[in-house]
Amino acid sequence: MFIHVPLPVPTHPHEVESPPALSEKNQTLYDCVLEHFSTEDYALPDIDQALTVDEKFWLSYECLLRYLRATNWNPNTAIKRLEDTLKWRREFGIYDKITPEYLEPEAANGKGFLFSYDAHGRPAVHVNPSKLSAEESPRTIQFVIWMLERAVDLMGLGVETLAVLADYANNTGNPSFGMVRTVLDIIQTHYPERLGLALVAHLPWLLNTFFKLMMPFMDPYTRQKFVFNPVINENGLFRTTADAEAWSADSALRVFEPDQLIQEGWNGSQPFVYSHAVYWEALVKLCEERRSSMFAAWNRIGGKVGTREWDVKVAVRDEAMNTQVDAEMVPAEDGQFQS
């Protein structure tokens, strides 16, 4: 029996630790960035417009820290990059143009989909290079970025990065070089520290040149995230043969467990088959419901710049757990509560 919908966001309430406090020096640098965006009369440079509610939600504690780390803790540079990204997000249409309705034709052939999560809880974006256009396509680029945004929606408690799984099995071509370079530039510029891992499986030697040409356009942080031809066996997915051979049930060497891998191409236990008529509606609903829950929690907490994603996700998790408990306590026909 096949499944056609993405897996739910994993919950690990006893395994995730809250982020550590910043050092005194880094806290001062963070406060400088936070104060800049928190002033009542703040307006985006050049366009002289106040921040929208969506933009304030995006400017979380963790977001500010990602940009600070990406700029080697230079607050002025971090502020400039954040403002550039805020303007880019408006121009690119993150909040209004690239909607599920507009992008659905791009998704129909299953060229990219979200399904499972790696051993660190990172949502995995599956990419089928053979279904990507050999020519640069603006809407394909928009679709890739939309999928990245949906991966952010599905990041659980303590998760800030995503994984990419590209399967080159039975594929002898590459997508447009210009398109890949454009997507890479967007990710490195406007999504710092969001790529956790990129696994490229079944890459034939004939296509090595494509990636060799791409490497100079990757910064060192991005380059080290790529793993080519990882090891896939009955125990799951591993970065290297050495990791696979050294793995044991209590080790952390495994990147994906078998039940988080699809059968086709990845030797997993999940009989997932992309069926657009079923999958697309399910993904859109899953992401919209989770994003709505996080936005509601953010508002309850205070709804301001610098709110912690951690606190928002804890509130969402606790609300879901309470809802589940309430559902389990529905009285039976004899008046007794079921447990």
Side-chain angles (χ1 to χ4, degrees):
M1 182 176 179
F2 296 117
I3 58 175
H4 307 291
V5 298
L7 297 180
V9 178
T11 56
H12 305 285
H14 305 297
E15 301 175 14
V16 184
E17 296 182 359
S18 59
L22 299 175
S23 67
E24 184 176 349
K25 177 183 177 182
N26 288 350
Q27 183 66 53
T28 300
L29 297 173
Y30 168 81
D31 290 341
C32 178
V33 177
L34 176 63
E35 182 180 0
H36 176 83
F37 288 102
S38 299
T39 56
E40 289 187 11
D41 59 347
Y42 175 79
L44 276 171
D46 302 325
I47 58 177
D48 195 29
Q49 292 181 2
L51 295 173
T52 66
V53 175
D54 286 324
E55 289 167 340
K56 291 179 180 179
F57 177 74
W58 180 77
L59 285 167
S60 66
Y61 170 81
E62 289 85 349
C63 176
L64 302 187
L65 288 182
R66 285 191 290 271
Y67 277 77
L68 275 165
R69 290 192 297 266
T71 55
N72 199 26
W73 292 91
N74 184 315
N76 292 328
T77 306
I79 287 170
K80 177 63 167 58
R81 279 194 62 177
L82 280 160
E83 289 178 335
D84 287 346
T85 294
L86 284 164
K87 287 184 280 188
W88 171 84
R89 290 174 71 84
R90 290 189 180 193
E91 294 166 1
F92 195 79
I94 293 295
Y95 303 114
D96 50 14
K97 294 180 186 176
I98 55 171
T99 63
E101 295 76 18
Y102 171 69
L103 293 173
E104 185 171 2
E106 282 292 324
N109 70 348
K111 62 168 63 77
F113 58 88
L114 282 152
F115 176 68
S116 59
Y117 305 82
D118 74 2
H120 298 283
R122 294 181 288 216
V125 180
H126 283 256
V127 179
N128 188 331
S130 66
K131 295 181 180 180
L132 290 170
S133 174
E135 298 181 0
E136 188 164 350
S137 165
R139 191 156 65 173
T140 299
I141 294 171
Q142 293 169 328
F143 172 70
V144 172
I145 300 304
W146 185 87
M147 290 296 292
L148 193 158
E149 289 281 329
R150 303 293 70 78
V152 172
D153 291 340
L154 301 181
M155 290 177 183
L157 184 61
V159 178
E160 296 185 45
T161 57
L162 59 90
V164 175
L165 286 80
D167 182 16
Y168 272 84
N170 302 317
N171 182 52
T172 57
N174 276 305
S176 158
F177 182 87
M179 182 171 63
V180 174
R181 183 177 173 183
T182 298
V183 170
L184 185 63
D185 182 62
I186 290 173
I187 292 174
Q188 292 183 146
T189 304
H190 300 299
Y191 293 88
E193 300 199 2
R194 280 304 202 185
L195 179 62
L197 188 63
L199 300 163
V200 183
H202 309 118
L203 181 68
W205 68 269
L206 287 171
L207 299 182
N208 283 337
T209 302
F210 179 84
F211 285 96
K212 287 181 179 179
L213 291 172
M214 289 302 308
M215 287 299 172
F217 299 102
M218 298 183 191
D219 59 41
Y221 177 86
T222 302
R223 196 178 301 130
Q224 70 179 3
K225 300 299 179 181
F226 275 76
V227 177
F228 296 98
N229 292 323
V231 176
I232 308 169
N233 61 28
E234 68 278 5
N235 295 318
L237 188 150
F238 302 83
R239 292 171 182 265
T240 65
T241 300
D243 286 351
E245 292 176 348
W247 177 81
S248 63
D250 58 351
S251 75
L253 296 174
R254 183 166 57 185
V255 179
F256 276 86
E257 298 178 6
D259 65 356
Q260 293 292 322
L261 291 170
I262 64 176
Q263 291 176 353
E264 184 179 358
W266 296 95
N267 198 38
S269 62
Q270 292 288 355
F272 175 83
V273 174
Y274 187 83
S275 172
H276 182 73
V278 180
Y279 176 87
W280 186 249
E281 182 179 353
L283 175 69
V284 171
K285 180 181 178 182
L286 175 65
C287 293
E288 287 182 348
E289 289 179 350
R290 180 161 175 81
R291 193 162 60 253
S292 295
S293 296
M294 289 193 290
F295 193 76
W298 176 77
N299 271 310
R300 290 196 301 271
I301 292 170
K304 60 184 180 181
V305 172
T307 299
R308 293 173 182 257
E309 294 170 19
W310 174 271
D311 294 338
V312 169
K313 292 177 182 179
V314 165
V316 170
R317 181 200 64 188
D318 292 349
E319 181 180 19
M321 293 175 65
N322 291 337
T323 300
Q324 181 178 356
V325 170
D326 291 343
E328 292 173 350
M329 294 299 293
V330 174
E333 292 182 1
D334 59 2
Q336 300 297 314
F337 285 94
Q338 297 175 338
S339 60

